[in-house]
């Protein structure tokens, strides 16, 4: 296996699409399958032979180091670099360059902090080295590429263009999208302008192509999910628990549910679909929780039905309440006999009285 001993993880985003999950917690630290999402990325990088990781932080930057420390518990060396002003993806990469130890032509791995993937990291590095590329990109095939940047390649995998989100059928020339993991030659990182925002997708990559640089694409469609929305985050956590998405960091055996120490689950409660019950959480009698994440200290009262939802830290869900595809913020209280569906977000600390919101009649 070819390995890159160094990696940069971009974890500075505000996670605005994930609010209220990210009001108190930066997106990479929101728990997925019982541990911060970032723990899965670090564990997979370590398993692929990475030894030194630089975390490019910005939003709520102070929470990362107390949790992961110097990385030694994970078999890694971790450096932390905080952006004072948002610099975009390219600017964030350039901003941490002084912490890298690689030589000018050595491969440096770069990951976006909100992608859950089964990517064969060693194969991406191997492709980069054997093709002699300046930058190599992980490409994934998706059924509907309209929400993504398209990356067409020639028969040898060499990148031909970068096409921003296409709208018309004529513009959809490929189903290959930029999947958010790269290998850079170190000197390419050093060539990114400093002191201003730079987008690798819109500026760095197209500029490199124009200058005749070699950009290589490697298609790997094992498992790929952008965790940018609450629904995607809940799905990703469930897929980790079920074993659909691989990670050495899941704290327990894969299966229908993961119950963390100190949680209380009533004997007749039903947990299915990769549900996670956090430390100190309580699941009441007859409750049914499917494909959902119940964070630390939350309470699901008897008879409640929770599906594809996330219940925040110390939140309370009342008896017989139905949640389907919803997010309940930290410390919120949803009274008994409510029915919340389809992307509803209840903000941190909010209180909904009993029977306040219904989608169906009261019968």
């Amino acid at each position: 296996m070819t390995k890159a001993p160094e990696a940069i993880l971009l974890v500075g985003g505000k996670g605005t699409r994930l609010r209220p999950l990210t009001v108190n917690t930066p997106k990479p630290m929101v728990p997925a399958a019982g541990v911060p999402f970032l723990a899965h990325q670090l564990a997979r990088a370590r398993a692929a032979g990475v030894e030194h990781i630089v975390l490019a932080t910005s939003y709520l930057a102070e929470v990362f180091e107390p949790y992961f420390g110097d990385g030694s518990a994970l078999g890694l060396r971790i450096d932390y670099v905080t952006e004072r002003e948002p610099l975009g993806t390219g600017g964030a990469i350039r901003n941490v360059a002084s912490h890298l130890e690689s030589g000018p032509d050595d491969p440096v791995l770069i990951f976006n902090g909100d992608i859950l993937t089964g990517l064969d990291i060693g194969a991406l590095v191997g492709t980069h080295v054997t093709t002699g590329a300046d930058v190599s990109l992980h490409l994934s095939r998706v059924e509907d590429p309209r929400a993504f940047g398209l990356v067409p390649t020639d028969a040898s995998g060499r990148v031909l263009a970068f096409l921003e989100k296409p709208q018309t059928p004529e513009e959809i020339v490929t189903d290959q999208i930029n999947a958010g993991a790269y290998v850079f030659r170190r000197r390419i990182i050093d060539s990114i302008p400093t002191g201003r925002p730079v987008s690798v997708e819109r500026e760095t990559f197209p500029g490199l192509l124009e200058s005749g640089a070699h950009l290589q694409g490697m298609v790997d469609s094992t498992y790929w999910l952008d965790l940018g929305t609450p629904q995607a985050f809940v799905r990703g956590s469930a897929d980790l628990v079920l074993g659909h998405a691989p990670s050495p960091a899941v704290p327990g055996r894969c299966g229908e549910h993961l119950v963390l120490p100190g949680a209380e689950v009533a004997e007749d409660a039903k947990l299915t679909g990769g549900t996670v019950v956090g430390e100190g959480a309580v699941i009441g009698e007859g409750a049914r929780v499917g494909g959902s994440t119940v964070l630390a200290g939350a309470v699901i009262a008897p008879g409640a039905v929770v599906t594809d939802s996330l219940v925040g830290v110390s939140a309370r869900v009342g008896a017989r309440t139905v949640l389907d595809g919803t997010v309940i913020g930290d410390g919120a209280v949803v009274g008994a006999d409510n029915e919340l569906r389809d992307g509803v977000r209840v903000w941190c600390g909010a209180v909904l009285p009993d029977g306040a919101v219904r989608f169906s009649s009261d019968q």
Side-chain angles (χ1 to χ4, degrees), residues 146-201:
R146 285 175 302 181
F148 304 98
L150 303 189
V151 187
T153 53
D154 69 13
S156 71
R158 192 159 179 154
V159 174
L160 300 172
F162 291 91
L163 308 173
E164 275 304 298
K165 297 172 184 174
Q167 297 312 312
T168 65
E170 296 75 40
E171 290 177 89
I172 302 175
V173 297
T174 179
D175 60 355
Q176 296 176 177
I177 63 158
N178 174 358
Y182 318 115
V183 183
F184 275 64
R185 274 184 203 260
R186 164 65 197 273
R187 59 182 165 79
I188 299 292
I189 295 173
D190 292 332
S191 72
I192 298 171
T194 57
R196 67 172 177 84
V198 179
S199 161
V200 286
E201 299 86 357

Side-chain angles (χ1 to χ4, degrees), residues 193-215:
T194 57
R196 67 172 177 84
V198 179
S199 161
V200 286
E201 299 86 357
R202 287 189 286 280
E203 182 179 339
T204 308
F205 291 158
L208 285 167
L209 263 193
E210 257 178 58
S211 72
H214 179 175
L215 279 74

Side-chain angles (χ1 to χ4, degrees), residues 46-57:
R46 181 69 197 96
V50 173
E51 296 159 6
H52 177 221
I53 288 190
V54 186
L55 290 185
T57 67

Side-chain angles (χ1 to χ4, degrees), residues 1-51:
M1 179 179 76
T2 313
K3 63 182 187 180
E6 286 198 293
I8 299 169
L9 257 168
L10 303 174
V11 292
K14 287 192 172 172
T16 46
R17 290 186 298 157
L18 274 179
R19 290 166 79 85
L21 295 185
T22 48
V23 170
N24 302 316
T25 310
K27 179 165 54 177
M29 295 299 286
V30 176
V35 294
F37 175 65
L38 180 54
H40 299 289
Q41 290 188 305
L42 293 173
R44 294 202 69 239
R46 181 69 197 96
V50 173
E51 296 159 6

Side-chain angles (χ1 to χ4, degrees), residues 28-339:
M29 295 299 286
V30 176
V35 294
F37 175 65
L38 180 54
H40 299 289
Q41 290 188 305
L42 293 173
R44 294 202 69 239
R46 181 69 197 96
V50 173
E51 296 159 6
H52 177 221
I53 288 190
V54 186
L55 290 185
T57 67
S58 179
Y59 176 65
L60 297 175
E62 65 279 0
V63 308
F64 293 95
E65 194 164 355
Y67 190 94
F68 292 107
D70 63 4
S72 55
L74 298 166
L76 289 163
R77 286 182 295 117
I78 299 178
D79 283 328
Y80 301 84
V81 182
T82 302
E83 279 168 55
R84 300 298 165 205
E85 298 290 322
L87 293 169
T89 44
I93 293 165
R94 181 66 182 88
N95 190 50
V96 306
S98 62
H99 290 259
L100 297 173
E101 297 157 2
S102 306
D105 287 312
D106 290 343
V108 178
L109 268 162
I110 299 171
F111 298 104
N112 275 340
D114 50 7
I115 302 292
L116 178 60
T117 173
L119 165 69
D120 183 337
I121 298 168
L124 181 64
V125 178
T127 297
H128 177 81
V129 172
T130 54
T131 59
D134 294 303
V135 176
S136 299
L137 298 89
H138 170 209
L139 306 180
S140 190
R141 291 199 170 102
V142 293
E143 276 181 35
D144 182 2
R146 285 175 302 181
F148 304 98
L150 303 189
V151 187
T153 53
D154 69 13
S156 71
R158 192 159 179 154
V159 174
L160 300 172
F162 291 91
L163 308 173
E164 275 304 298
K165 297 172 184 174
Q167 297 312 312
T168 65
E170 296 75 40
E171 290 177 89
I172 302 175
V173 297
T174 179
D175 60 355
Q176 296 176 177
I177 63 158
N178 174 358
Y182 318 115
V183 183
F184 275 64
R185 274 184 203 260
R186 164 65 197 273
R187 59 182 165 79
I188 299 292
I189 295 173
D190 292 332
S191 72
I192 298 171
T194 57
R196 67 172 177 84
V198 179
S199 161
V200 286
E201 299 86 357
R202 287 189 286 280
E203 182 179 339
T204 308
F205 291 158
L208 285 167
L209 263 193
E210 257 178 58
S211 72
H214 179 175
L215 279 74
Q216 185 73 21
M218 187 192 87
V219 177
D220 179 327
S221 299
T222 41
Y223 178 99
W224 188 86
L225 188 64
D226 174 351
L227 300 187
T229 66
Q231 275 60 47
F233 203 96
V234 170
R235 172 83 261 140
S237 176
D239 283 345
L240 283 160
V241 175
L242 290 165
H244 299 332
S247 168
V250 176
R253 296 218 319 275
C254 290
E256 285 292 312
H257 54 78
L258 174 65
V259 178
L260 294 180
E264 292 177 39
V265 179
E267 274 188 36
D268 64 346
K270 199 158 191 248
L271 308 178
T272 57
T275 286
V276 182
V277 181
E279 293 174 11
V282 177
I283 311 291
E285 293 166 2
R288 301 204 307 277
V289 187
S292 298
T293 295
V294 179
L295 293 181
V299 176
I300 309 294
V305 180
V306 179
T307 309
D308 298 340
S309 296
L310 189 141
V311 179
V313 174
S314 300
R316 300 181 67 87
V317 175
R320 299 170 301 282
T321 281
V322 174
L323 305 181
D324 190 345
T326 62
V327 176
I328 310 300
D330 296 346
V333 177
V334 178
D337 300 304
N338 281 291
E339 187 182 351

